[in-house]
Amino acid sequence: MACEKANKSNINFIFVTVQSLIVKTFGYIRELFLEIIEKIIDLYIMKKLFLLLFTAFLFVGCSKDDDTIYDFIGTWAGTYEGTEKGDWNIVVATDGKVTGTMHSDQTTENYYISGYLSESGDLNATIGSPDDGEFRGTLTREDKKASGTWTNAVPATVRSGTWKGAKTSK
């Protein structure tokens, strides 16, 4: 009988020990599982936060109000009038440099145009070589129109007037 009591006591001890190990193991597994879930949620939140910030910076960086020369790059052409009349064309380069010609209907002469365009569309150019005149005005990015004034002292007396035109190609 003493042996039976000892066996029952050993079995009870083993049962309690195994039960305690199972509870502890499930406790560790539960903690590990909760930790993994917490990290997944943190990553999910970080991903959403990153996408939100990235989208915000994208819209801020691509504002339509930004003045860049890009919208003006290409060929612009039109007519001029005043004490003389004719047509003109210019090419705006990526660095804002402007080159082109004015062709007079009266004298059939071609006059070289050279200058620069600002990022806001202000044109400041000279006519002739040497620089004997001015070709100034504004190019608009919204409606792709252009207008301004001109003066030219080549070949003799000073002539002047206005010009207008539009963007014809990229």
Side-chain angles (χ1 to χ4, degrees), residues 33-51:
F33 179 73
L34 290 175
E35 208 173 297
I36 290 170
I37 294 297
E38 188 177 311
K39 290 199 186 279
I40 289 171
I41 290 171
D42 286 347
L43 286 173
Y44 178 77
I45 291 170
M46 292 299 286
K47 180 180 173 185
K48 292 295 182 186
L49 184 60
F50 172 76
L51 289 174

mmCIF file with all atom_site columns, all heavy atoms in Angstrom, residues 33-51:
data_model
loop_
_atom_site.group_PDB
_atom_site.id
_atom_site.type_symbol
_atom_site.label_atom_id
_atom_site.label_alt_id
_atom_site.label_comp_id
_atom_site.label_asym_id
_atom_site.label_entity_id
_atom_site.label_seq_id
_atom_site.pdbx_PDB_ins_code
_atom_site.Cartn_x
_atom_site.Cartn_y
_atom_site.Cartn_z
_atom_site.occupancy
_atom_site.B_iso_or_equiv
_atom_site.pdbx_formal_charge
_atom_site.auth_seq_id
_atom_site.auth_comp_id
_atom_site.auth_asym_id
_atom_site.auth_atom_id
_atom_site.pdbx_PDB_model_num
ATOM 1   N N   . PHE A 1 33 ? 2.817  35.229 -29.910 1.00 0.00 ? 33 PHE A N   1
ATOM 2   C CA  . PHE A 1 33 ? 1.782  35.517 -30.907 1.00 0.00 ? 33 PHE A CA  1
ATOM 3   C C   . PHE A 1 33 ? 1.345  36.980 -30.820 1.00 0.00 ? 33 PHE A C   1
ATOM 4   O O   . PHE A 1 33 ? 1.240  37.677 -31.828 1.00 0.00 ? 33 PHE A O   1
ATOM 5   C CB  . PHE A 1 33 ? 0.590  34.572 -30.695 1.00 0.00 ? 33 PHE A CB  1
ATOM 6   C CG  . PHE A 1 33 ? -0.539 34.806 -31.658 1.00 0.00 ? 33 PHE A CG  1
ATOM 7   C CD1 . PHE A 1 33 ? -0.433 34.420 -32.982 1.00 0.00 ? 33 PHE A CD1 1
ATOM 8   C CD2 . PHE A 1 33 ? -1.713 35.432 -31.243 1.00 0.00 ? 33 PHE A CD2 1
ATOM 9   C CE1 . PHE A 1 33 ? -1.463 34.648 -33.871 1.00 0.00 ? 33 PHE A CE1 1
ATOM 10  C CE2 . PHE A 1 33 ? -2.745 35.664 -32.124 1.00 0.00 ? 33 PHE A CE2 1
ATOM 11  C CZ  . PHE A 1 33 ? -2.628 35.278 -33.444 1.00 0.00 ? 33 PHE A CZ  1
ATOM 12  N N   . LEU A 1 34 ? 1.100  37.463 -29.595 1.00 0.00 ? 34 LEU A N   1
ATOM 13  C CA  . LEU A 1 34 ? 0.694  38.857 -29.414 1.00 0.00 ? 34 LEU A CA  1
ATOM 14  C C   . LEU A 1 34 ? 1.797  39.820 -29.864 1.00 0.00 ? 34 LEU A C   1
ATOM 15  O O   . LEU A 1 34 ? 1.528  40.868 -30.450 1.00 0.00 ? 34 LEU A O   1
ATOM 16  C CB  . LEU A 1 34 ? 0.306  39.122 -27.958 1.00 0.00 ? 34 LEU A CB  1
ATOM 17  C CG  . LEU A 1 34 ? -0.988 38.461 -27.485 1.00 0.00 ? 34 LEU A CG  1
ATOM 18  C CD1 . LEU A 1 34 ? -1.193 38.697 -25.995 1.00 0.00 ? 34 LEU A CD1 1
ATOM 19  C CD2 . LEU A 1 34 ? -2.179 38.975 -28.285 1.00 0.00 ? 34 LEU A CD2 1
ATOM 20  N N   . GLU A 1 35 ? 3.034  39.465 -29.607 1.00 0.00 ? 35 GLU A N   1
ATOM 21  C CA  . GLU A 1 35 ? 4.168  40.296 -30.035 1.00 0.00 ? 35 GLU A CA  1
ATOM 22  C C   . GLU A 1 35 ? 4.241  40.354 -31.563 1.00 0.00 ? 35 GLU A C   1
ATOM 23  O O   . GLU A 1 35 ? 4.469  41.414 -32.152 1.00 0.00 ? 35 GLU A O   1
ATOM 24  C CB  . GLU A 1 35 ? 5.460  39.696 -29.460 1.00 0.00 ? 35 GLU A CB  1
ATOM 25  C CG  . GLU A 1 35 ? 6.534  40.719 -29.225 1.00 0.00 ? 35 GLU A CG  1
ATOM 26  C CD  . GLU A 1 35 ? 7.715  40.101 -28.500 1.00 0.00 ? 35 GLU A CD  1
ATOM 27  O OE1 . GLU A 1 35 ? 7.559  39.648 -27.341 1.00 0.00 ? 35 GLU A OE1 1
ATOM 28  O OE2 . GLU A 1 35 ? 8.790  40.079 -29.120 1.00 0.00 ? 35 GLU A OE2 1
ATOM 29  N N   . ILE A 1 36 ? 4.029  39.205 -32.209 1.00 0.00 ? 36 ILE A N   1
ATOM 30  C CA  . ILE A 1 36 ? 4.048  39.156 -33.675 1.00 0.00 ? 36 ILE A CA  1
ATOM 31  C C   . ILE A 1 36 ? 2.908  39.994 -34.240 1.00 0.00 ? 36 ILE A C   1
ATOM 32  O O   . ILE A 1 36 ? 3.110  40.787 -35.171 1.00 0.00 ? 36 ILE A O   1
ATOM 33  C CB  . ILE A 1 36 ? 3.968  37.696 -34.175 1.00 0.00 ? 36 ILE A CB  1
ATOM 34  C CG1 . ILE A 1 36 ? 5.268  36.967 -33.854 1.00 0.00 ? 36 ILE A CG1 1
ATOM 35  C CG2 . ILE A 1 36 ? 3.672  37.647 -35.677 1.00 0.00 ? 36 ILE A CG2 1
ATOM 36  C CD1 . ILE A 1 36 ? 5.222  35.471 -34.089 1.00 0.00 ? 36 ILE A CD1 1
ATOM 37  N N   . ILE A 1 37 ? 1.721  39.869 -33.687 1.00 0.00 ? 37 ILE A N   1
ATOM 38  C CA  . ILE A 1 37 ? 0.565  40.662 -34.134 1.00 0.00 ? 37 ILE A CA  1
ATOM 39  C C   . ILE A 1 37 ? 0.856  42.148 -33.960 1.00 0.00 ? 37 ILE A C   1
ATOM 40  O O   . ILE A 1 37 ? 0.570  42.968 -34.834 1.00 0.00 ? 37 ILE A O   1
ATOM 41  C CB  . ILE A 1 37 ? -0.714 40.250 -33.367 1.00 0.00 ? 37 ILE A CB  1
ATOM 42  C CG1 . ILE A 1 37 ? -1.116 38.817 -33.703 1.00 0.00 ? 37 ILE A CG1 1
ATOM 43  C CG2 . ILE A 1 37 ? -1.853 41.220 -33.658 1.00 0.00 ? 37 ILE A CG2 1
ATOM 44  C CD1 . ILE A 1 37 ? -1.484 38.597 -35.146 1.00 0.00 ? 37 ILE A CD1 1
ATOM 45  N N   . GLU A 1 38 ? 1.454  42.513 -32.835 1.00 0.00 ? 38 GLU A N   1
ATOM 46  C CA  . GLU A 1 38 ? 1.778  43.915 -32.572 1.00 0.00 ? 38 GLU A CA  1
ATOM 47  C C   . GLU A 1 38 ? 2.762  44.450 -33.618 1.00 0.00 ? 38 GLU A C   1
ATOM 48  O O   . GLU A 1 38 ? 2.603  45.566 -34.117 1.00 0.00 ? 38 GLU A O   1
ATOM 49  C CB  . GLU A 1 38 ? 2.381  44.030 -31.164 1.00 0.00 ? 38 GLU A CB  1
ATOM 50  C CG  . GLU A 1 38 ? 2.584  45.455 -30.702 1.00 0.00 ? 38 GLU A CG  1
ATOM 51  C CD  . GLU A 1 38 ? 3.111  45.506 -29.271 1.00 0.00 ? 38 GLU A CD  1
ATOM 52  O OE1 . GLU A 1 38 ? 2.545  44.818 -28.391 1.00 0.00 ? 38 GLU A OE1 1
ATOM 53  O OE2 . GLU A 1 38 ? 4.089  46.247 -29.064 1.00 0.00 ? 38 GLU A OE2 1
ATOM 54  N N   . LYS A 1 39 ? 3.755  43.656 -33.968 1.00 0.00 ? 39 LYS A N   1
ATOM 55  C CA  . LYS A 1 39 ? 4.733  44.086 -34.984 1.00 0.00 ? 39 LYS A CA  1
ATOM 56  C C   . LYS A 1 39 ? 4.075  44.211 -36.359 1.00 0.00 ? 39 LYS A C   1
ATOM 57  O O   . LYS A 1 39 ? 4.372  45.148 -37.108 1.00 0.00 ? 39 LYS A O   1
ATOM 58  C CB  . LYS A 1 39 ? 5.907  43.121 -35.024 1.00 0.00 ? 39 LYS A CB  1
ATOM 59  C CG  . LYS A 1 39 ? 6.777  43.216 -33.795 1.00 0.00 ? 39 LYS A CG  1
ATOM 60  C CD  . LYS A 1 39 ? 8.129  42.632 -34.037 1.00 0.00 ? 39 LYS A CD  1
ATOM 61  C CE  . LYS A 1 39 ? 8.938  42.601 -32.777 1.00 0.00 ? 39 LYS A CE  1
ATOM 62  N NZ  . LYS A 1 39 ? 9.560  43.817 -32.428 1.00 0.00 ? 39 LYS A NZ  1
ATOM 63  N N   . ILE A 1 40 ? 3.175  43.305 -36.679 1.00 0.00 ? 40 ILE A N   1
ATOM 64  C CA  . ILE A 1 40 ? 2.463  43.381 -37.962 1.00 0.00 ? 40 ILE A CA  1
ATOM 65  C C   . ILE A 1 40 ? 1.621  44.651 -38.015 1.00 0.00 ? 40 ILE A C   1
ATOM 66  O O   . ILE A 1 40 ? 1.613  45.369 -39.015 1.00 0.00 ? 40 ILE A O   1
ATOM 67  C CB  . ILE A 1 40 ? 1.589  42.115 -38.179 1.00 0.00 ? 40 ILE A CB  1
ATOM 68  C CG1 . ILE A 1 40 ? 2.483  40.902 -38.445 1.00 0.00 ? 40 ILE A CG1 1
ATOM 69  C CG2 . ILE A 1 40 ? 0.606  42.331 -39.335 1.00 0.00 ? 40 ILE A CG2 1
ATOM 70  C CD1 . ILE A 1 40 ? 1.747  39.577 -38.465 1.00 0.00 ? 40 ILE A CD1 1
ATOM 71  N N   . ILE A 1 41 ? 0.929  44.953 -36.925 1.00 0.00 ? 41 ILE A N   1
ATOM 72  C CA  . ILE A 1 41 ? 0.114  46.173 -36.876 1.00 0.00 ? 41 ILE A CA  1
ATOM 73  C C   . ILE A 1 41 ? 1.011  47.401 -36.996 1.00 0.00 ? 41 ILE A C   1
ATOM 74  O O   . ILE A 1 41 ? 0.693  48.338 -37.726 1.00 0.00 ? 41 ILE A O   1
ATOM 75  C CB  . ILE A 1 41 ? -0.735 46.205 -35.583 1.00 0.00 ? 41 ILE A CB  1
ATOM 76  C CG1 . ILE A 1 41 ? -1.833 45.139 -35.662 1.00 0.00 ? 41 ILE A CG1 1
ATOM 77  C CG2 . ILE A 1 41 ? -1.340 47.584 -35.362 1.00 0.00 ? 41 ILE A CG2 1
ATOM 78  C CD1 . ILE A 1 41 ? -2.595 44.931 -34.370 1.00 0.00 ? 41 ILE A CD1 1
ATOM 79  N N   . ASP A 1 42 ? 2.158  47.404 -36.302 1.00 0.00 ? 42 ASP A N   1
ATOM 80  C CA  . ASP A 1 42 ? 3.094  48.529 -36.405 1.00 0.00 ? 42 ASP A CA  1
ATOM 81  C C   . ASP A 1 42 ? 3.574  48.713 -37.841 1.00 0.00 ? 42 ASP A C   1
ATOM 82  O O   . ASP A 1 42 ? 3.631  49.837 -38.352 1.00 0.00 ? 42 ASP A O   1
ATOM 83  C CB  . ASP A 1 42 ? 4.294  48.320 -35.473 1.00 0.00 ? 42 ASP A CB  1
ATOM 84  C CG  . ASP A 1 42 ? 3.947  48.536 -34.010 1.00 0.00 ? 42 ASP A CG  1
ATOM 85  O OD1 . ASP A 1 42 ? 2.851  49.080 -33.731 1.00 0.00 ? 42 ASP A OD1 1
ATOM 86  O OD2 . ASP A 1 42 ? 4.770  48.159 -33.147 1.00 0.00 ? 42 ASP A OD2 1
ATOM 87  N N   . LEU A 1 43 ? 3.906  47.609 -38.506 1.00 0.00 ? 43 LEU A N   1
ATOM 88  C CA  . LEU A 1 43 ? 4.353  47.696 -39.900 1.00 0.00 ? 43 LEU A CA  1
ATOM 89  C C   . LEU A 1 43 ? 3.235  48.206 -40.798 1.00 0.00 ? 43 LEU A C   1
ATOM 90  O O   . LEU A 1 43 ? 3.471  49.017 -41.697 1.00 0.00 ? 43 LEU A O   1
ATOM 91  C CB  . LEU A 1 43 ? 4.842  46.330 -40.392 1.00 0.00 ? 43 LEU A CB  1
ATOM 92  C CG  . LEU A 1 43 ? 6.198  45.886 -39.850 1.00 0.00 ? 43 LEU A CG  1
ATOM 93  C CD1 . LEU A 1 43 ? 6.483  44.462 -40.284 1.00 0.00 ? 43 LEU A CD1 1
ATOM 94  C CD2 . LEU A 1 43 ? 7.296  46.812 -40.322 1.00 0.00 ? 43 LEU A CD2 1
ATOM 95  N N   . TYR A 1 44 ? 2.029  47.752 -40.568 1.00 0.00 ? 44 TYR A N   1
ATOM 96  C CA  . TYR A 1 44 ? 0.883  48.193 -41.353 1.00 0.00 ? 44 TYR A CA  1
ATOM 97  C C   . TYR A 1 44 ? 0.668  49.697 -41.179 1.00 0.00 ? 44 TYR A C   1
ATOM 98  O O   . TYR A 1 44 ? 0.482  50.432 -42.144 1.00 0.00 ? 44 TYR A O   1
ATOM 99  C CB  . TYR A 1 44 ? -0.367 47.415 -40.928 1.00 0.00 ? 44 TYR A CB  1
ATOM 100 C CG  . TYR A 1 44 ? -1.619 47.835 -41.642 1.00 0.00 ? 44 TYR A CG  1
ATOM 101 C CD1 . TYR A 1 44 ? -1.863 47.425 -42.943 1.00 0.00 ? 44 TYR A CD1 1
ATOM 102 C CD2 . TYR A 1 44 ? -2.557 48.649 -41.017 1.00 0.00 ? 44 TYR A CD2 1
ATOM 103 C CE1 . TYR A 1 44 ? -3.010 47.809 -43.612 1.00 0.00 ? 44 TYR A CE1 1
ATOM 104 C CE2 . TYR A 1 44 ? -3.710 49.044 -41.676 1.00 0.00 ? 44 TYR A CE2 1
ATOM 105 C CZ  . TYR A 1 44 ? -3.932 48.619 -42.971 1.00 0.00 ? 44 TYR A CZ  1
ATOM 106 O OH  . TYR A 1 44 ? -5.066 49.009 -43.632 1.00 0.00 ? 44 TYR A OH  1
ATOM 107 N N   . ILE A 1 45 ? 0.724  50.152 -39.930 1.00 0.00 ? 45 ILE A N   1
ATOM 108 C CA  . ILE A 1 45 ? 0.550  51.582 -39.656 1.00 0.00 ? 45 ILE A CA  1
ATOM 109 C C   . ILE A 1 45 ? 1.684  52.378 -40.281 1.00 0.00 ? 45 ILE A C   1
ATOM 110 O O   . ILE A 1 45 ? 1.457  53.422 -40.887 1.00 0.00 ? 45 ILE A O   1
ATOM 111 C CB  . ILE A 1 45 ? 0.451  51.831 -38.129 1.00 0.00 ? 45 ILE A CB  1
ATOM 112 C CG1 . ILE A 1 45 ? -0.870 51.266 -37.592 1.00 0.00 ? 45 ILE A CG1 1
ATOM 113 C CG2 . ILE A 1 45 ? 0.567  53.315 -37.805 1.00 0.00 ? 45 ILE A CG2 1
ATOM 114 C CD1 . ILE A 1 45 ? -0.969 51.249 -36.085 1.00 0.00 ? 45 ILE A CD1 1
ATOM 115 N N   . MET A 1 46 ? 2.909  51.898 -40.161 1.00 0.00 ? 46 MET A N   1
ATOM 116 C CA  . MET A 1 46 ? 4.055  52.601 -40.756 1.00 0.00 ? 46 MET A CA  1
ATOM 117 C C   . MET A 1 46 ? 3.918  52.668 -42.271 1.00 0.00 ? 46 MET A C   1
ATOM 118 O O   . MET A 1 46 ? 4.228  53.689 -42.883 1.00 0.00 ? 46 MET A O   1
ATOM 119 C CB  . MET A 1 46 ? 5.368  51.910 -40.363 1.00 0.00 ? 46 MET A CB  1
ATOM 120 C CG  . MET A 1 46 ? 5.699  52.030 -38.897 1.00 0.00 ? 46 MET A CG  1
ATOM 121 S SD  . MET A 1 46 ? 5.906  53.736 -38.358 1.00 0.00 ? 46 MET A SD  1
ATOM 122 C CE  . MET A 1 46 ? 7.460  54.107 -39.068 1.00 0.00 ? 46 MET A CE  1
ATOM 123 N N   . LYS A 1 47 ? 3.446  51.589 -42.874 1.00 0.00 ? 47 LYS A N   1
ATOM 124 C CA  . LYS A 1 47 ? 3.259  51.577 -44.325 1.00 0.00 ? 47 LYS A CA  1
ATOM 125 C C   . LYS A 1 47 ? 2.206  52.608 -44.731 1.00 0.00 ? 47 LYS A C   1
ATOM 126 O O   . LYS A 1 47 ? 2.410  53.382 -45.664 1.00 0.00 ? 47 LYS A O   1
ATOM 127 C CB  . LYS A 1 47 ? 2.838  50.181 -44.786 1.00 0.00 ? 47 LYS A CB  1
ATOM 128 C CG  . LYS A 1 47 ? 2.627  50.051 -46.268 1.00 0.00 ? 47 LYS A CG  1
ATOM 129 C CD  . LYS A 1 47 ? 2.205  48.641 -46.631 1.00 0.00 ? 47 LYS A CD  1
ATOM 130 C CE  . LYS A 1 47 ? 1.821  48.535 -48.076 1.00 0.00 ? 47 LYS A CE  1
ATOM 131 N NZ  . LYS A 1 47 ? 1.309  47.219 -48.419 1.00 0.00 ? 47 LYS A NZ  1
ATOM 132 N N   . LYS A 1 48 ? 1.109  52.638 -44.019 1.00 0.00 ? 48 LYS A N   1
ATOM 133 C CA  . LYS A 1 48 ? 0.051  53.609 -44.323 1.00 0.00 ? 48 LYS A CA  1
ATOM 134 C C   . LYS A 1 48 ? 0.547  55.035 -44.111 1.00 0.00 ? 48 LYS A C   1
ATOM 135 O O   . LYS A 1 48 ? 0.281  55.922 -44.911 1.00 0.00 ? 48 LYS A O   1
ATOM 136 C CB  . LYS A 1 48 ? -1.199 53.357 -43.459 1.00 0.00 ? 48 LYS A CB  1
ATOM 137 C CG  . LYS A 1 48 ? -1.921 52.078 -43.796 1.00 0.00 ? 48 LYS A CG  1
ATOM 138 C CD  . LYS A 1 48 ? -2.497 52.143 -45.184 1.00 0.00 ? 48 LYS A CD  1
ATOM 139 C CE  . LYS A 1 48 ? -3.255 50.877 -45.488 1.00 0.00 ? 48 LYS A CE  1
ATOM 140 N NZ  . LYS A 1 48 ? -3.721 50.809 -46.831 1.00 0.00 ? 48 LYS A NZ  1
ATOM 141 N N   . LEU A 1 49 ? 1.280  55.255 -43.037 1.00 0.00 ? 49 LEU A N   1
ATOM 142 C CA  . LEU A 1 49 ? 1.827  56.574 -42.752 1.00 0.00 ? 49 LEU A CA  1
ATOM 143 C C   . LEU A 1 49 ? 2.813  56.992 -43.842 1.00 0.00 ? 49 LEU A C   1
ATOM 144 O O   . LEU A 1 49 ? 2.787  58.124 -44.316 1.00 0.00 ? 49 LEU A O   1
ATOM 145 C CB  . LEU A 1 49 ? 2.506  56.575 -41.380 1.00 0.00 ? 49 LEU A CB  1
ATOM 146 C CG  . LEU A 1 49 ? 3.053  57.911 -40.891 1.00 0.00 ? 49 LEU A CG  1
ATOM 147 C CD1 . LEU A 1 49 ? 1.928  58.934 -40.780 1.00 0.00 ? 49 LEU A CD1 1
ATOM 148 C CD2 . LEU A 1 49 ? 3.746  57.739 -39.547 1.00 0.00 ? 49 LEU A CD2 1
ATOM 149 N N   . PHE A 1 50 ? 3.665  56.067 -44.252 1.00 0.00 ? 50 PHE A N   1
ATOM 150 C CA  . PHE A 1 50 ? 4.620  56.358 -45.328 1.00 0.00 ? 50 PHE A CA  1
ATOM 151 C C   . PHE A 1 50 ? 3.886  56.725 -46.617 1.00 0.00 ? 50 PHE A C   1
ATOM 152 O O   . PHE A 1 50 ? 4.228  57.706 -47.274 1.00 0.00 ? 50 PHE A O   1
ATOM 153 C CB  . PHE A 1 50 ? 5.536  55.154 -45.573 1.00 0.00 ? 50 PHE A CB  1
ATOM 154 C CG  . PHE A 1 50 ? 6.398  55.314 -46.788 1.00 0.00 ? 50 PHE A CG  1
ATOM 155 C CD1 . PHE A 1 50 ? 7.513  56.134 -46.762 1.00 0.00 ? 50 PHE A CD1 1
ATOM 156 C CD2 . PHE A 1 50 ? 6.078  54.664 -47.979 1.00 0.00 ? 50 PHE A CD2 1
ATOM 157 C CE1 . PHE A 1 50 ? 8.303  56.303 -47.880 1.00 0.00 ? 50 PHE A CE1 1
ATOM 158 C CE2 . PHE A 1 50 ? 6.850  54.824 -49.099 1.00 0.00 ? 50 PHE A CE2 1
ATOM 159 C CZ  . PHE A 1 50 ? 7.971  55.646 -49.054 1.00 0.00 ? 50 PHE A CZ  1
ATOM 160 N N   . LEU A 1 51 ? 2.882  55.943 -46.989 1.00 0.00 ? 51 LEU A N   1
ATOM 161 C CA  . LEU A 1 51 ? 2.129  56.229 -48.211 1.00 0.00 ? 51 LEU A CA  1
ATOM 162 C C   . LEU A 1 51 ? 1.412  57.570 -48.121 1.00 0.00 ? 51 LEU A C   1
ATOM 163 O O   . LEU A 1 51 ? 1.364  58.329 -49.099 1.00 0.00 ? 51 LEU A O   1
ATOM 164 C CB  . LEU A 1 51 ? 1.134  55.104 -48.495 1.00 0.00 ? 51 LEU A CB  1
ATOM 165 C CG  . LEU A 1 51 ? 1.750  53.784 -48.950 1.00 0.00 ? 51 LEU A CG  1
ATOM 166 C CD1 . LEU A 1 51 ? 0.675  52.714 -49.057 1.00 0.00 ? 51 LEU A CD1 1
ATOM 167 C CD2 . LEU A 1 51 ? 2.475  53.943 -50.254 1.00 0.00 ? 51 LEU A CD2 1
#
